[in-house]
Every structure is written in structure tokens, then in C-alpha cells.
Coordinates of all heavy atoms in Angstrom, one line a residue:
Q177 N 53.3 22.7 -6.5 CA 52.2 23.5 -7.1 C 52.4 23.8 -8.6 O 51.5 24.3 -9.3 CB 52.1 24.8 -6.3 CG 53.3 25.7 -6.3 CD 54.1 25.4 -5.0 OE1 54.4 24.3 -4.6 NE2 54.5 26.5 -4.3
L178 N 53.6 23.5 -9.2 CA 53.8 23.7 -10.6 C 53.3 22.6 -11.4 O 53.0 22.7 -12.6 CB 55.3 23.9 -10.9 CG 55.9 25.2 -10.3 CD1 57.3 25.4 -10.9 CD2 55.1 26.4 -10.5
G179 N 53.1 21.4 -10.8 CA 52.5 20.3 -11.5 C 53.4 19.7 -12.6 O 52.9 19.2 -13.6
I180 N 54.7 19.8 -12.4 CA 55.6 19.4 -13.5 C 56.3 18.1 -13.1 O 56.6 17.8 -11.9 CB 56.6 20.5 -13.8 CG1 57.4 20.9 -12.5 CG2 55.9 21.7 -14.4 CD1 58.5 21.9 -12.7
R181 N 56.7 17.3 -14.1 CA 57.4 16.1 -13.9 C 58.9 16.4 -14.1 O 59.3 16.9 -15.2 CB 57.0 15.0 -14.9 CG 57.7 13.6 -14.7 CD 57.3 12.7 -15.8 NE 55.8 12.5 -15.8 CZ 55.2 11.6 -15.0 NH1 55.9 10.9 -14.1 NH2 53.9 11.5 -15.1
L182 N 59.7 16.2 -13.1 CA 61.2 16.6 -13.2 C 62.0 15.5 -13.7 O 61.9 14.3 -13.3 CB 61.6 17.0 -11.8 CG 60.9 18.2 -11.1 CD1 61.5 18.4 -9.7 CD2 61.0 19.4 -12.0
D183 N 62.9 15.8 -14.6 CA 63.9 14.8 -15.1 C 65.1 14.8 -14.1 O 65.2 15.5 -13.2 CB 64.3 15.1 -16.5 CG 64.9 16.5 -16.7 OD1 65.5 17.0 -15.7 OD2 64.8 17.0 -17.8
K184 N 66.0 13.9 -14.4 CA 67.2 13.7 -13.5 C 68.0 15.0 -13.3 O 68.5 15.3 -12.3 CB 68.0 12.6 -14.0 CG 67.4 11.2 -13.9 CD 68.3 10.1 -14.4 CE 67.6 8.8 -14.2 NZ 68.6 7.6 -14.7
K185 N 68.0 15.8 -14.4 CA 68.8 17.0 -14.3 C 68.2 18.1 -13.4 O 68.9 18.9 -12.8 CB 68.9 17.7 -15.7 CG 69.7 16.8 -16.7 CD 69.8 17.5 -18.1 CE 70.6 16.7 -19.1 NZ 70.6 17.3 -20.4
L186 N 66.9 18.0 -13.2 CA 66.2 19.0 -12.4 C 65.8 18.5 -11.0 O 65.2 19.2 -10.2 CB 65.0 19.5 -13.1 CG 65.2 20.2 -14.5 CD1 63.9 20.5 -15.1 CD2 66.1 21.4 -14.3
E187 N 66.1 17.2 -10.7 CA 65.7 16.6 -9.4 C 66.3 17.4 -8.2 O 67.5 17.8 -8.2 CB 66.2 15.2 -9.3 CG 65.3 14.2 -10.1 CD 65.7 12.8 -9.9 OE1 66.7 12.5 -9.2 OE2 65.1 11.9 -10.5
G188 N 65.4 17.7 -7.3 CA 65.9 18.5 -6.1 C 65.7 20.0 -6.2 O 65.8 20.7 -5.3
Q189 N 65.5 20.5 -7.5 CA 65.3 21.9 -7.7 C 63.8 22.3 -7.4 O 62.9 21.6 -7.7 CB 65.6 22.3 -9.2 CG 65.6 23.7 -9.4 CD 66.1 24.1 -10.8 OE1 66.8 23.3 -11.4 NE2 65.7 25.2 -11.4
T190 N 63.6 23.4 -6.6 CA 62.3 23.8 -6.2 C 61.9 25.2 -6.8 O 60.8 25.6 -6.6 CB 62.2 23.8 -4.7 OG1 63.1 24.7 -4.2 CG2 62.4 22.4 -4.1
Q191 N 62.8 25.9 -7.4 CA 62.5 27.2 -7.9 C 62.9 27.2 -9.4 O 64.0 26.9 -9.8 CB 63.3 28.3 -7.2 CG 63.0 28.3 -5.7 CD 63.9 29.3 -5.0 OE1 64.6 30.1 -5.6 NE2 63.8 29.3 -3.6
F192 N 61.9 27.7 -10.2 CA 62.1 27.7 -11.7 C 61.7 29.1 -12.2 O 60.6 29.5 -12.1 CB 61.2 26.6 -12.3 CG 61.5 25.2 -11.9 CD1 61.0 24.7 -10.8 CD2 62.4 24.5 -12.7 CE1 61.3 23.4 -10.4 CE2 62.7 23.2 -12.3 CZ 62.2 22.6 -11.2
N193 N 62.7 29.7 -12.8 CA 62.5 31.0 -13.4 C 62.3 31.0 -14.9 O 62.4 32.0 -15.6 CB 63.7 32.0 -13.1 CG 65.0 31.4 -13.6 OD1 65.1 30.5 -14.4 ND2 66.1 32.0 -13.1
F194 N 61.9 29.8 -15.4 CA 61.5 29.6 -16.8 C 60.3 28.7 -16.8 O 60.1 27.9 -15.9 CB 62.7 29.0 -17.6 CG 63.2 27.7 -17.0 CD1 62.8 26.5 -17.4 CD2 64.2 27.8 -16.0 CE1 63.3 25.3 -16.8 CE2 64.7 26.6 -15.4 CZ 64.2 25.4 -15.9
A195 N 59.5 28.8 -17.9 CA 58.3 28.0 -18.0 C 58.5 26.5 -18.3 O 59.4 26.2 -19.2 CB 57.4 28.6 -19.0
I196 N 57.8 25.6 -17.7 CA 57.9 24.2 -18.0 C 56.5 23.7 -18.3 O 55.5 24.1 -17.6 CB 58.5 23.4 -16.8 CG1 59.9 24.0 -16.5 CG2 58.5 22.0 -17.0 CD1 60.5 23.2 -15.3
R197 N 56.3 22.8 -19.2 CA 55.0 22.3 -19.7 C 54.4 21.4 -18.6 O 55.1 20.6 -18.0 CB 55.2 21.6 -21.0 CG 53.9 20.9 -21.5 CD 53.1 21.9 -22.3 NE 51.9 21.3 -22.8 CZ 51.8 20.6 -23.9 NH1 52.8 20.6 -24.7 NH2 50.7 20.1 -24.3
V198 N 53.1 21.7 -18.3 CA 52.4 20.8 -17.4 C 51.5 19.9 -18.2 O 50.7 20.4 -19.1 CB 51.5 21.7 -16.5 CG1 50.7 20.8 -15.5 CG2 52.3 22.7 -15.7
H199 N 51.6 18.6 -18.0 CA 50.9 17.6 -18.8 C 49.6 17.2 -18.0 O 49.7 16.7 -16.9 CB 51.7 16.4 -19.1 CG 52.9 16.7 -20.0 ND1 52.7 16.8 -21.4 CD2 54.2 17.0 -19.8 CE1 53.9 17.2 -21.9 NE2 54.8 17.3 -21.0
I200 N 48.4 17.5 -18.6 CA 47.2 17.2 -18.0 C 46.7 15.8 -18.6 O 46.6 15.7 -19.8 CB 46.1 18.3 -18.3 CG1 46.7 19.6 -18.0 CG2 44.8 18.0 -17.5 CD1 47.1 19.8 -16.5
P201 N 46.4 14.8 -17.8 CA 46.0 13.5 -18.3 C 44.6 13.4 -18.8 O 43.7 12.8 -18.2 CB 46.3 12.6 -17.1 CG 46.0 13.5 -15.9 CD 46.5 14.9 -16.3
T202 N 44.3 14.1 -19.9 CA 43.0 14.0 -20.5 C 43.1 14.4 -22.0 O 44.1 15.0 -22.4 CB 42.1 15.1 -19.8 OG1 40.8 15.0 -20.4 CG2 42.6 16.5 -19.9
D203 N 42.1 14.0 -22.7 CA 42.0 14.4 -24.1 C 41.3 15.8 -24.3 O 41.3 16.3 -25.4 CB 41.2 13.4 -24.9 CG 42.0 12.0 -25.0 OD1 43.3 12.1 -25.0 OD2 41.4 11.0 -25.1
S204 N 40.7 16.3 -23.2 CA 40.0 17.5 -23.3 C 41.0 18.7 -23.2 O 42.1 18.5 -22.8 CB 39.0 17.7 -22.1 OG 38.0 16.7 -22.1

């Protein structure tokens, strides 16, 4: 539900107490 792409350091983590950028595939 966070819509984030996880890098190798964060793989397997499901709880995030800091904000991560969500990339929307559009120019809008």
C-alpha cells in the first residue's frame, strides 16, 4: 500500500517509520 520500490537494503521490510518517495509513471 505504500507504492514504493525497495532496494536490496530494504528487501523484506514491511514497516517504515520514515517517508519514502512514490514514483508515479506519468508526466502529469
